[in-house]
Amino acid sequence: MSELAIDTGDGGRVIDLSRERDAADRLPRGKAGGRYRCCSCGAKLIFTGPATPGSGFTPRFRHDGSARCGAPAPHQADVQADLTVILDLRDQLVRALPGATICLQIDPQLAGQRWELPPALIVRRSDDVVIIERPRRLLTTPVVDTRLKTVRTQHGESATHWWFFDRDDVLHYDPAGTVKVRPHGKPDTHHKVRPTPVQRQIIQAGAAVCWIDKDTVLIPYGGHPGTYPVLEGEDWSGEMASWSKDWKISHPYPADSAAWWGLVPQQLLALGQHTGFRPAPAFRLMTALENVQHGREAHRRRLAREHAQSQEDRPVTAAADLHPLEVPADDAASTDDVPPPLAPPVTREPLADTATAAATHPPVPPRPTQPPSTTSLPRVRSKVRRFSWRHLLPRRWRR
């Protein structure tokens, strides 16, 4: 902790001697009227620097006399880790925002207290003010609400408030799979996360959330799965049922009703290319996703209307009314199994009455015969045995 201190004479700015090589030349040495405070215990520090520019003495902060830091070792380790992480981000932003003033500040009255949220980075460039948080531990709703109100009070409503979470921190990154997208006709895959309650709280308050992975930031948009409502003239049944399920996007900040958040990757350096720390490339891609979504819905509804029309045009197969004397084709084929009726017996009359009968009864036309069946039926052997005396004799006498 000999390299870190809170400078109460500069609004509570955190000094890191390992990153500020010019500190020995611009900062007053010694106690400086109690200007320097320990980040862990809050005690006053003494700044010691080299006696001559050519000496090998390393500048450092130390407690008065032979005293050491009175904070417990775990607390000192937490403070050291928090400040190291946020100052590493500061180094990245210095390269991304040339010409900007970036410093790490804390309320001097909080020096030595165990903070639940590390101090924030303050980025000033022209008239823009951006406040960047870099939490490491699990956050609570009251802590987040207090920080949101403090930033608005100190920097006004026009300040942009960003919260950077670590992509590899399981406390703040809950993966929810992936979603396949085609924003510009080219297939791509976005990771999804389940937002925590405090992350939703930050978005609702008007601040911004992102995740950082080395030199890449992941900007979220909202995903809302649902089913298309059926409009007049549409049919989503059968094979169209799966097409009725889709998802919609809410952006540039996820709506509160979003079931999951999709993440758009963007280079950290790109944030400095637009006023107000605005991730314009990510927002343009979200707009493209929304346009694709509208086109996808129009295409699926067109298919649903075509499906409904095909159902109406399908012919209804109903049995036609048959003439009483007509027999269906299937039944006519089955009549081949029925033997034809026997002809009535012929009665022979005397020859003398033949002419009279012919005159009385006109000749009967010949009975129409059915065409021979094209299918040959198998010959069925009769099972009725003919009577024979031979079957009555004993077996030994039949020979």
Side-chain angles (χ1 to χ4, degrees), residues 79-291:
V79 172
Q80 179 81 30
D82 287 341
L83 296 180
T84 299
V85 169
I86 191 69
L87 289 173
D88 286 344
L89 177 60
R90 176 186 175 275
D91 293 342
Q92 291 179 281
L93 294 176
V94 168
R95 297 190 298 269
L97 303 171
T101 301
I102 307 174
C103 63
L104 182 62
Q105 285 185 317
I106 186 175
D107 186 353
Q109 297 181 355
L110 300 179
Q113 298 184 16
R114 184 178 180 85
W115 57 55
E116 296 182 87
L117 187 61
L121 283 175
I122 301 177
V123 181
R124 290 185 173 90
R125 186 172 60 170
S126 184
D127 296 333
D128 296 331
V129 179
V130 181
I131 312 301
I132 300 178
E133 309 285 353
R134 189 71 168 85
R136 274 185 62 247
R137 290 183 290 276
L138 187 64
L139 300 177
T140 62
T141 300
V143 170
V144 173
D145 186 61
T146 300
R147 180 57 63 89
L148 291 169
K149 293 179 179 178
T150 301
V151 169
R152 286 195 298 268
T153 302
Q154 294 181 353
H155 304 282
E157 297 290 341
S158 61
T160 305
H161 199 177
W162 276 82
W163 296 67
F164 278 64
F165 295 97
D166 194 342
R167 168 64 174 78
D168 298 325
D169 190 348
V170 296
L171 295 177
H172 301 110
Y173 186 88
D174 185 9
T178 58
V179 58
K180 295 184 180 299
V181 296
R182 297 177 64 92
H184 300 290
K186 297 181 180 180
D188 196 2
T189 301
H190 288 170
H191 290 277
K192 300 189 301 182
V193 296
R194 301 180 186 89
T196 63
V198 295
Q199 289 167 352
R200 291 183 182 272
Q201 174 189 0
I202 293 169
I203 291 294
Q204 292 174 13
V209 171
C210 72
W211 284 262
I212 184 169
D213 184 10
K214 297 180 180 179
D215 293 332
T216 303
V217 289
L218 305 173
I219 312 298
Y221 58 85
H224 307 258
T227 304
Y228 292 127
V230 181
L231 302 181
E232 184 179 358
E234 297 178 349
D235 186 359
W236 296 91
S237 62
E239 60 184 7
M240 291 296 300
S242 61
W243 288 74
S244 65
K245 298 179 181 179
D246 202 358
W247 66 277
K248 294 185 177 181
I249 184 176
S250 60
H251 68 95
Y253 303 107
D256 184 45
S257 58
W260 46 265
W261 290 1
L263 302 178
V264 178
Q266 177 178 312
Q267 292 298 314
L268 180 62
L269 294 176
L271 290 177
Q273 298 175 359
H274 299 274
T275 304
F277 214 62
R278 184 173 178 269
F283 289 170
R284 287 195 296 267
L285 189 141
M286 295 175 190
T287 303
L289 288 179
E290 186 178 17
N291 294 335

Side-chain angles (χ1 to χ4, degrees), residues 301-312:
R301 289 195 179 280
R302 182 170 61 252
L303 294 179
R305 291 192 296 268
E306 294 176 356
H307 185 234
Q309 187 65 33
S310 64
Q311 296 294 330
E312 295 177 358

Side-chain angles (χ1 to χ4, degrees), residues 13-80:
R13 188 173 67 88
V14 177
I15 302 173
D16 185 1
L17 296 177
S18 64
R19 303 168 192 268
E20 301 180 33
R21 302 299 181 182
D22 61 339
D25 299 329
R26 62 181 179 82
L27 294 177
R29 301 178 188 178
K31 294 183 179 180
R35 177 174 177 172
Y36 311 114
R37 306 288 293 272
C38 178
C39 297
S40 298
C41 67
K44 297 178 181 180
L45 300 176
I46 299 174
F47 176 50
T48 58
T52 60
S55 65
F57 183 82
T58 303
R60 66 175 59 92
F61 293 103
R62 64 179 179 84
H63 289 74
D64 192 7
S66 60
R68 296 183 178 182
C69 181
H75 175 57
Q76 294 186 46
D78 286 341
V79 172
Q80 179 81 30

